[in-house]
Amino acid sequence: DDTSSPLSDTSSSQFHKGEYKVLVRNIALLTDLMSEDLETLKDLVVRLDALEAYDPHVAHDMSPISNDLAQALAEAKATDDVCGPNSEESNRAWDAVDNVEYNGKAYTSPQVSYRMKEKAQKAHHQYSTVLDPPSLEAAIEAVGKIEHLARLVNIETSRIAGSNLSP
């Protein structure tokens, strides 16, 4: 038994279309505002990555990383890889990093799965610096993805500009 009327479906659809246009326009505005800063960020990260490749011990030689921080970082990055950077597990792992770094606490591993520990040992177990090459490469890739999003949003903004909705 469908109790919704065609009129309410139409107004709901119109509302969603208007909201869509507003969201696309706002994303376009933000990506336009960020474009110069993103280019600068990407350039800086590329330069840092090149410096690390040329002299892999530069950061470590300035101040060696503690074993506790190295272990906390390894598990946090492995958790990102396995569970995703926005997961609850990842947030807990990064909280553990903060506790080591900012609160001076000894590292105690959050409840992590064997799979994450194994991934940490394989991929992230040799920390001599916080800003390791995989992190820098991931940052460069993330900036590239935001730049691609900006292109897509600009295309979508142009595409929907001719529609008769005016939010």
Side-chain angles (χ1 to χ4, degrees), residues 55 57-64 128:
D55 185 357
H57 302 289
V58 65
H60 181 269
D61 290 347
M62 289 189 301
S63 177
S128 61

Side-chain angles (χ1 to χ4, degrees), residues 29-47:
L29 290 170
L30 282 174
T31 56
D32 284 346
L33 288 172
M34 295 178 356
S35 66
E36 193 174 309
D37 291 337
L38 284 175
E39 193 60 37
T40 302
L41 176 62
K42 186 165 64 171
D43 288 344
L44 292 171
V45 174
V46 166
R47 288 176 54 200

Side-chain angles (χ1 to χ4, degrees), residues 16 39-40 65 73 101-102 107 122 135 138 158 162:
H16 291 145
E39 193 60 37
T40 302
I65 190 170
L73 285 167
E101 178 61 16
Y102 302 114
Y107 179 66
K122 285 183 180 177
S135 296
S158 296

Side-chain angles (χ1 to χ4, degrees), residues 21 154-167:
K21 276 184 87 168
N154 287 334
I155 292 167
E156 185 68 346
T157 300
S158 296
R159 189 184 73 79
I160 62 178
S163 73
N164 59 4
L165 285 176
S166 54

Side-chain angles (χ1 to χ4, degrees), residues 92-104:
R92 279 196 304 270
W94 284 104
D95 286 346
V97 171
D98 290 343
N99 279 331
V100 171
E101 178 61 16
Y102 302 114
N103 300 329

